[in-house]
Amino acid sequence: MRTKPLVRAGLAALAFAFASGAAIAESIKVGYLPVTGHAKFFVAKEQGFFKQEGLDVELVEFVNSADGLNAVVANKLDIGAFGTTAPLVHYSRGADLKIIGGIMGEDAAIIVKPENADKIRNVADLKGKKIATIRLATGDAVLRAALKDQKIDWKKDVEIFELKSPPAVLEAVKSGQVDAGVTWGPHDIRAERQGLKVVIRTGELQPGHPCCRLVVKSERLKEGDTWDRFLRAILKAEKFAAQNRKETIDSIQKYVKLDRDILEQGYYSPHLEQGTDPNVKGTQKFWTTMVSSEFIEGSRPLQPAFALDPYHRALQGLAKEQPNDPFWKQKLKAEQERNVL
């Protein structure tokens, strides 16, 4: 049987693609929040690191972690980075999730009106107050744990209002509907520029706490080396962002519609931790505080939630390609310190 001309042309083009070293990119959907802390997604996309790893990435925006994690659980996303609280809450309730890496850590703050700044200086001062948070945000869980440490029952001694987004928290504080609000960067910077005051940072309450873990459904781990390549792209983006400030802010601006100086101050903030590793130790500590503050029940062991091999293989491969690069040496050291089950 003779092959039709159109079919022959298609087969020839496919053969040329493979012969020239080009491959058909694997399409994946990645969920993100429009914040500076998720910049490595934007850098990996705009600087071509996903493409280098054979990935055709569609970035899908969400306004909060709760909605984003629901999309991962419902198989509407292949992977997402939606806080630490949201994935751990879903995991505690039986969801079949795996943490394979991270996007950021810390970067949340408690804000008040300027006239309340002298009245609310620490967590103990929040007793009896109204507090706005973002549903299932990392900063929310850190605050509840800190309240418990101060013998303040967050179920009875304060009123917590779970809102949908950082702008909603800022508005609630500005209007006086609440006494304090918990938001994430760079909205803490926006809050200050609108006349509000940052009184407490979550990094002070729980130093080094993780945020935004990279989470996939367990079944997705069986699909070849997809996540090795994904993490290679994110690690490349982390390195690029550390060394190329202007191009990094250019990439962020395409996804986060705020003034350039706010984005730069937010991403290169000393309050934002940039590691891509799963941060097992930090996540385990976060889990413990969530259990002790009665945010989750915690009867399910946490260890099965981690899948560390993809990150390890990705980092080892990049380090072998540039064995003398101090950036990769530092990452190898951090892996040994932070990612031990």
Coordinates of all heavy atoms in Angstrom, one line a residue, residues 38-110:
H38 N 6.7 33.1 43.9 CA 6.6 32.1 42.9 C 7.3 32.5 41.7 O 7.1 31.9 40.6 CB 5.1 31.9 42.6 CG 4.4 31.1 43.6 ND1 3.2 30.3 43.4 CD2 4.6 30.9 44.9 CE1 2.8 29.8 44.5 NE2 3.7 30.1 45.5
A39 N 8.3 33.3 41.8 CA 9.0 33.9 40.6 C 9.8 32.8 39.9 O 9.9 32.9 38.6 CB 10.0 34.9 41.1
K40 N 10.2 31.7 40.5 CA 11.0 30.7 39.8 C 10.1 30.0 38.7 O 10.7 29.6 37.7 CB 11.5 29.7 40.7 CG 12.7 30.2 41.6 CD 13.3 29.2 42.5 CE 12.4 28.9 43.7 NZ 13.0 28.0 44.7
F41 N 8.8 29.9 38.9 CA 8.0 29.5 37.8 C 8.1 30.4 36.6 O 8.2 30.0 35.5 CB 6.5 29.4 38.3 CG 6.2 28.4 39.2 CD1 5.2 28.6 40.2 CD2 6.7 27.1 39.2 CE1 4.9 27.6 41.1 CE2 6.4 26.1 40.0 CZ 5.5 26.4 41.1
F42 N 8.0 31.7 36.9 CA 7.9 32.7 35.8 C 9.3 32.7 35.1 O 9.4 32.9 33.9 CB 7.6 34.1 36.4 CG 6.5 34.0 37.4 CD1 6.5 34.9 38.5 CD2 5.4 33.2 37.2 CE1 5.4 34.9 39.4 CE2 4.3 33.2 38.1 CZ 4.4 34.0 39.3
V43 N 10.4 32.7 35.9 CA 11.7 32.7 35.3 C 11.9 31.5 34.4 O 12.5 31.5 33.3 CB 12.8 32.8 36.4 CG1 14.2 32.6 35.8 CG2 12.7 34.2 37.1
A44 N 11.6 30.3 34.9 CA 11.8 29.1 34.2 C 11.0 29.1 32.9 O 11.5 28.6 31.9 CB 11.3 27.9 35.0
K45 N 9.8 29.7 32.9 CA 9.0 29.8 31.7 C 9.6 30.8 30.7 O 9.9 30.5 29.5 CB 7.6 30.2 32.1 CG 6.6 30.5 30.9 CD 6.1 29.2 30.3 CE 5.0 29.5 29.3 NZ 4.4 28.3 28.7
E46 N 9.9 32.0 31.2 CA 10.3 33.1 30.3 C 11.8 33.0 29.9 O 12.1 33.5 28.8 CB 10.1 34.5 31.0 CG 8.6 34.8 31.4 CD 7.7 34.7 30.2 OE1 8.1 35.3 29.1 OE2 6.6 34.2 30.3
Q47 N 12.6 32.4 30.7 CA 14.0 32.2 30.3 C 14.3 30.9 29.6 O 15.4 30.6 29.2 CB 14.9 32.4 31.5 CG 14.8 33.7 32.2 CD 15.1 34.9 31.4 OE1 16.0 34.8 30.5 NE2 14.4 36.0 31.6
G48 N 13.2 30.1 29.3 CA 13.4 28.9 28.5 C 13.9 27.7 29.2 O 14.2 26.7 28.6
F49 N 13.9 27.7 30.5 CA 14.4 26.5 31.3 C 13.5 25.3 31.2 O 13.9 24.2 31.1 CB 14.7 26.9 32.7 CG 15.8 27.9 32.9 CD1 15.6 29.0 33.7 CD2 17.0 27.9 32.2 CE1 16.5 30.0 33.9 CE2 17.9 28.9 32.3 CZ 17.7 29.9 33.1
F50 N 12.2 25.6 31.2 CA 11.2 24.5 31.0 C 11.4 23.9 29.6 O 11.5 22.6 29.5 CB 9.8 24.9 31.2 CG 9.4 25.2 32.6 CD1 8.6 26.3 32.9 CD2 9.7 24.3 33.6 CE1 8.2 26.5 34.2 CE2 9.2 24.5 34.9 CZ 8.5 25.6 35.2
K51 N 11.6 24.7 28.6 CA 11.7 24.2 27.3 C 13.0 23.4 27.1 O 13.0 22.4 26.4 CB 11.7 25.5 26.3 CG 11.7 25.1 24.8 CD 11.6 26.3 24.0 CE 11.6 25.9 22.5 NZ 11.5 27.2 21.6
Q52 N 14.1 23.9 27.7 CA 15.3 23.1 27.7 C 15.2 21.7 28.2 O 15.9 20.8 27.8 CB 16.4 23.9 28.5 CG 17.0 25.1 28.0 CD 17.9 25.8 28.9 OE1 18.4 25.2 29.9 NE2 18.3 27.1 28.6
E53 N 14.3 21.6 29.2 CA 14.1 20.2 29.8 C 12.9 19.4 29.1 O 12.5 18.4 29.6 CB 13.7 20.4 31.3 CG 14.9 21.0 32.1 CD 16.1 20.2 32.1 OE1 16.0 19.0 32.0 OE2 17.2 20.8 32.2
G54 N 12.5 19.9 27.9 CA 11.5 19.2 27.2 C 10.1 19.3 27.7 O 9.3 18.4 27.5
L55 N 9.8 20.4 28.4 CA 8.5 20.6 29.0 C 7.8 21.8 28.4 O 8.4 22.9 28.2 CB 8.6 20.8 30.5 CG 9.3 19.7 31.3 CD1 9.5 20.1 32.7 CD2 8.5 18.4 31.2
D56 N 6.5 21.6 28.0 CA 5.7 22.7 27.5 C 4.7 23.0 28.7 O 3.7 22.3 28.9 CB 4.9 22.2 26.3 CG 3.9 23.3 25.8 OD1 4.1 24.4 26.2 OD2 3.0 22.9 25.0
V57 N 5.1 24.0 29.5 CA 4.4 24.3 30.7 C 3.3 25.4 30.5 O 3.6 26.5 30.0 CB 5.4 24.8 31.8 CG1 4.6 25.4 33.0 CG2 6.2 23.6 32.2
E58 N 2.1 25.1 31.0 CA 1.0 26.1 31.0 C 0.9 26.5 32.5 O 0.6 25.7 33.4 CB -0.3 25.5 30.6 CG -1.5 26.5 30.7 CD -2.8 25.8 30.4 OE1 -2.8 24.7 29.9 OE2 -3.8 26.5 30.6
L59 N 1.1 27.8 32.8 CA 1.0 28.3 34.1 C -0.5 28.7 34.4 O -1.0 29.5 33.6 CB 1.9 29.5 34.3 CG 3.4 29.2 34.3 CD1 4.3 30.4 34.4 CD2 3.8 28.2 35.3
V60 N -1.1 28.2 35.4 CA -2.5 28.5 35.7 C -2.6 29.2 37.1 O -2.1 28.8 38.1 CB -3.3 27.2 35.8 CG1 -4.8 27.5 36.1 CG2 -3.1 26.3 34.6
E61 N -3.2 30.4 37.0 CA -3.2 31.3 38.2 C -4.4 31.0 39.1 O -5.5 30.7 38.7 CB -3.3 32.8 37.8 CG -3.4 33.8 38.9 CD -3.5 35.2 38.4 OE1 -2.9 35.5 37.4 OE2 -4.1 36.0 39.1
F62 N -4.1 31.1 40.5 CA -5.1 30.9 41.5 C -4.9 32.1 42.5 O -3.8 32.6 42.6 CB -5.0 29.6 42.2 CG -5.4 28.4 41.4 CD1 -4.4 27.9 40.5 CD2 -6.6 27.9 41.5 CE1 -4.8 26.8 39.7 CE2 -7.0 26.8 40.7 CZ -6.1 26.3 39.8
V63 N -5.9 32.5 43.2 CA -5.8 33.6 44.1 C -5.5 33.2 45.5 O -5.0 34.0 46.3 CB -7.1 34.4 44.2 CG1 -7.4 35.1 42.8 CG2 -8.3 33.6 44.6
N64 N -5.6 31.9 45.8 CA -5.3 31.4 47.2 C -4.9 29.9 47.1 O -5.2 29.2 46.1 CB -6.4 31.6 48.2 CG -7.7 30.9 47.8 OD1 -7.7 29.7 47.6 ND2 -8.8 31.7 47.7
S65 N -4.3 29.4 48.2 CA -3.8 28.1 48.2 C -4.9 27.0 48.3 O -4.8 25.9 47.8 CB -2.9 27.9 49.5 OG -1.7 28.7 49.3
A66 N -6.0 27.4 49.0 CA -7.1 26.4 49.1 C -7.6 26.0 47.7 O -7.8 24.8 47.4 CB -8.2 27.0 50.0
D67 N -7.9 27.0 46.9 CA -8.5 26.7 45.6 C -7.4 26.0 44.7 O -7.8 25.0 44.0 CB -8.9 28.0 44.9 CG -10.1 28.7 45.5 OD1 -10.7 28.1 46.3 OD2 -10.3 29.9 45.2
G68 N -6.2 26.3 44.8 CA -5.1 25.7 44.0 C -4.9 24.2 44.4 O -4.8 23.4 43.5
L69 N -4.9 24.0 45.7 CA -4.7 22.6 46.1 C -5.9 21.7 45.8 O -5.8 20.5 45.4 CB -4.5 22.5 47.6 CG -3.3 21.7 48.1 CD1 -3.5 20.2 47.9 CD2 -2.0 22.1 47.4
N70 N -7.1 22.3 45.8 CA -8.3 21.5 45.4 C -8.1 21.1 43.9 O -8.6 20.0 43.5 CB -9.5 22.4 45.6 CG -10.0 22.5 47.0 OD1 -9.6 21.7 47.8 ND2 -10.7 23.6 47.3
A71 N -7.6 22.0 43.1 CA -7.4 21.7 41.7 C -6.4 20.5 41.5 O -6.5 19.7 40.6 CB -6.9 22.9 40.9
V72 N -5.3 20.5 42.3 CA -4.3 19.4 42.3 C -5.0 18.1 42.6 O -4.9 17.1 41.9 CB -3.1 19.7 43.2 CG1 -2.2 18.4 43.2 CG2 -2.4 20.9 42.7
V73 N -5.8 18.1 43.7 CA -6.4 16.9 44.2 C -7.4 16.4 43.2 O -7.6 15.2 43.0 CB -7.1 17.2 45.6 CG1 -8.0 16.0 46.0 CG2 -6.1 17.5 46.6
A74 N -8.1 17.3 42.5 CA -9.1 17.0 41.5 C -8.5 16.6 40.1 O -9.3 16.4 39.2 CB -10.1 18.1 41.4
N75 N -7.2 16.6 40.0 CA -6.5 16.3 38.8 C -6.7 17.3 37.7 O -6.6 17.0 36.5 CB -6.9 14.9 38.2 CG -6.5 13.8 39.1 OD1 -5.3 13.7 39.6 ND2 -7.4 12.8 39.4
K76 N -7.0 18.5 38.1 CA -7.1 19.6 37.1 C -5.8 20.3 36.9 O -5.6 21.1 35.9 CB -8.1 20.7 37.6 CG -9.6 20.1 37.6 CD -10.5 21.1 38.2 CE -12.0 20.6 38.2 NZ -12.9 21.6 38.7
L77 N -4.8 20.0 37.7 CA -3.4 20.5 37.6 C -2.5 19.3 37.7 O -2.8 18.3 38.4 CB -3.1 21.5 38.7 CG -3.7 22.8 38.7 CD1 -3.3 23.6 39.9 CD2 -3.3 23.6 37.4
D78 N -1.3 19.3 37.1 CA -0.3 18.3 37.3 C 0.5 18.5 38.5 O 1.0 17.6 39.2 CB 0.6 18.2 36.0 CG -0.2 17.9 34.8 OD1 -0.8 16.8 34.8 OD2 -0.3 18.7 33.9
I79 N 0.7 19.8 38.8 CA 1.6 20.1 40.0 C 1.2 21.5 40.4 O 0.8 22.3 39.6 CB 3.1 20.0 39.7 CG1 4.0 20.2 40.9 CG2 3.5 21.0 38.6 CD1 5.4 19.8 40.7
G80 N 1.4 21.8 41.7 CA 1.2 23.2 42.2 C 2.0 23.5 43.4 O 2.6 22.6 44.0
A81 N 2.1 24.7 43.7 CA 2.8 25.2 44.9 C 1.9 26.1 45.7 O 1.8 27.3 45.4 CB 4.1 25.9 44.6
F82 N 1.2 25.5 46.7 CA 0.2 26.3 47.4 C 0.3 26.2 48.9 O -0.4 25.5 49.6 CB -1.2 25.7 46.9 CG -1.5 25.9 45.5 CD1 -1.6 24.8 44.7 CD2 -1.6 27.1 44.9 CE1 -1.8 24.9 43.3 CE2 -1.8 27.3 43.5 CZ -1.9 26.1 42.7
G83 N 1.3 26.9 49.4 CA 1.6 27.0 50.8 C 2.1 25.6 51.3 O 2.3 24.7 50.6
T84 N 2.2 25.6 52.7 CA 2.5 24.4 53.4 C 1.2 23.9 54.1 O 1.0 22.7 54.2 CB 3.6 24.6 54.4 OG1 4.7 25.3 53.8 CG2 4.1 23.3 55.0
T85 N 0.4 24.8 54.5 CA -0.8 24.5 55.2 C -1.8 23.6 54.4 O -2.2 22.6 54.8 CB -1.5 25.7 55.7 OG1 -0.6 26.5 56.5 CG2 -2.8 25.4 56.6
A86 N -2.1 24.1 53.2 CA -3.1 23.5 52.3 C -2.7 22.0 52.0 O -3.5 21.1 52.2 CB -3.3 24.3 51.1
P87 N -1.5 21.7 51.5 CA -1.2 20.3 51.2 C -1.2 19.4 52.5 O -1.6 18.3 52.4 CB 0.2 20.4 50.6 CG 0.8 21.7 50.9 CD -0.4 22.6 51.1
L88 N -0.7 20.0 53.6 CA -0.7 19.2 54.8 C -2.1 18.9 55.4 O -2.4 17.8 55.9 CB 0.2 19.8 55.9 CG 1.7 19.9 55.6 CD1 2.5 20.4 56.8 CD2 2.2 18.5 55.1
V89 N -3.0 19.9 55.2 CA -4.4 19.7 55.6 C -5.0 18.6 54.8 O -5.7 17.6 55.3 CB -5.2 21.0 55.5 CG1 -6.7 20.7 55.6 CG2 -4.8 21.9 56.6
H90 N -4.8 18.7 53.4 CA -5.4 17.6 52.5 C -4.8 16.3 52.8 O -5.5 15.2 52.9 CB -5.1 18.0 51.1 CG -6.1 19.0 50.5 ND1 -7.3 18.6 49.9 CD2 -6.2 20.3 50.6 CE1 -8.0 19.6 49.5 NE2 -7.3 20.7 49.9
Y91 N -3.4 16.2 53.1 CA -2.8 15.0 53.4 C -3.3 14.4 54.7 O -3.6 13.2 54.7 CB -1.3 15.2 53.5 CG -0.5 14.0 53.8 CD1 -0.2 13.0 52.9 CD2 -0.1 13.7 55.1 CE1 0.5 11.8 53.2 CE2 0.6 12.6 55.5 CZ 0.9 11.6 54.5 OH 1.5 10.5 54.9
S92 N -3.5 15.2 55.7 CA -4.0 14.7 57.0 C -5.4 14.1 56.8 O -5.8 13.2 57.7 CB -4.0 15.9 58.0 OG -5.1 16.8 57.7
R93 N -6.1 14.5 55.8 CA -7.5 14.0 55.6 C -7.5 12.8 54.7 O -8.6 12.3 54.2 CB -8.4 15.1 55.1 CG -8.6 16.2 56.1 CD -9.3 17.4 55.5 NE -9.5 18.5 56.4 CZ -10.0 19.7 56.1 NH1 -10.2 20.0 54.8 NH2 -10.1 20.6 57.0
G94 N -6.3 12.3 54.3 CA -6.2 11.1 53.5 C -5.9 11.3 52.0 O -5.8 10.3 51.2
A95 N -5.7 12.5 51.5 CA -5.3 12.8 50.1 C -4.0 12.1 49.8 O -3.1 12.1 50.6 CB -5.2 14.3 49.8
D96 N -3.9 11.5 48.6 CA -2.7 10.8 48.2 C -1.7 11.8 47.5 O -1.6 11.8 46.2 CB -3.1 9.7 47.2 CG -2.0 8.7 47.0 OD1 -1.0 8.7 47.8 OD2 -2.1 7.9 46.1
L97 N -1.1 12.6 48.3 CA -0.2 13.6 47.8 C 1.3 13.4 48.1 O 1.6 12.7 49.1 CB -0.6 15.0 48.4 CG -2.0 15.5 48.1 CD1 -2.3 16.8 48.9 CD2 -2.2 15.8 46.6
K98 N 2.2 13.9 47.3 CA 3.6 13.8 47.5 C 4.2 15.2 47.4 O 4.0 15.9 46.4 CB 4.3 12.9 46.5 CG 3.8 11.4 46.6 CD 4.3 10.7 47.8 CE 3.9 9.2 47.9 NZ 4.3 8.6 49.1
I99 N 5.1 15.5 48.3 CA 5.9 16.7 48.3 C 7.2 16.4 47.6 O 8.0 15.5 48.1 CB 6.1 17.3 49.7 CG1 4.8 17.7 50.4 CG2 7.1 18.5 49.7 CD1 4.9 18.0 51.8
I100 N 7.5 17.0 46.5 CA 8.8 16.7 45.7 C 9.8 17.9 45.8 O 10.9 17.7 45.3 CB 8.5 16.3 44.3 CG1 7.9 17.5 43.5 CG2 7.5 15.1 44.2 CD1 7.9 17.3 42.0
G101 N 9.3 19.0 46.3 CA 10.2 20.2 46.3 C 9.6 21.4 46.9 O 8.5 21.2 47.5
G102 N 10.1 22.5 46.7 CA 9.6 23.8 47.3 C 9.8 24.9 46.4 O 10.7 24.9 45.5
I103 N 9.1 26.0 46.6 CA 9.3 27.2 45.8 C 9.8 28.3 46.7 O 10.7 29.2 46.3 CB 8.0 27.7 45.1 CG1 7.7 26.7 43.9 CG2 8.1 29.1 44.6 CD1 8.7 26.9 42.8
M104 N 9.4 28.4 47.9 CA 9.8 29.5 48.8 C 9.6 29.1 50.3 O 9.0 28.1 50.6 CB 9.0 30.7 48.5 CG 7.5 30.5 48.5 SD 6.5 31.9 48.3 CE 6.6 32.7 49.9
G105 N 10.0 30.0 51.2 CA 9.8 29.9 52.6 C 9.6 31.2 53.2 O 9.9 32.3 52.7
E106 N 9.0 31.2 54.4 CA 8.7 32.4 55.2 C 7.8 33.4 54.4 O 6.9 33.0 53.7 CB 10.0 33.1 55.7 CG 10.8 32.2 56.6 CD 11.9 32.9 57.4 OE1 12.1 34.1 57.1 OE2 12.6 32.3 58.1
D107 N 8.1 34.7 54.4 CA 7.5 35.7 53.6 C 6.0 36.1 53.9 O 5.3 36.5 53.0 CB 7.6 35.3 52.1 CG 7.4 36.5 51.1 OD1 7.9 37.6 51.5 OD2 6.8 36.4 50.1
A108 N 5.6 35.9 55.1 CA 4.2 36.3 55.5 C 4.4 37.3 56.7 O 5.4 37.3 57.4 CB 3.3 35.2 55.9
A109 N 3.4 38.1 56.9 CA 3.5 39.2 57.9 C 2.1 39.5 58.5 O 1.1 39.3 57.8 CB 4.1 40.4 57.4
I110 N 2.1 40.0 59.7 CA 0.9 40.5 60.4 C 0.9 42.0 60.3 O 1.9 42.7 60.6 CB 0.8 40.1 61.8 CG1 0.8 38.5 61.9 CG2 -0.4 40.7 62.5 CD1 0.9 38.0 63.3

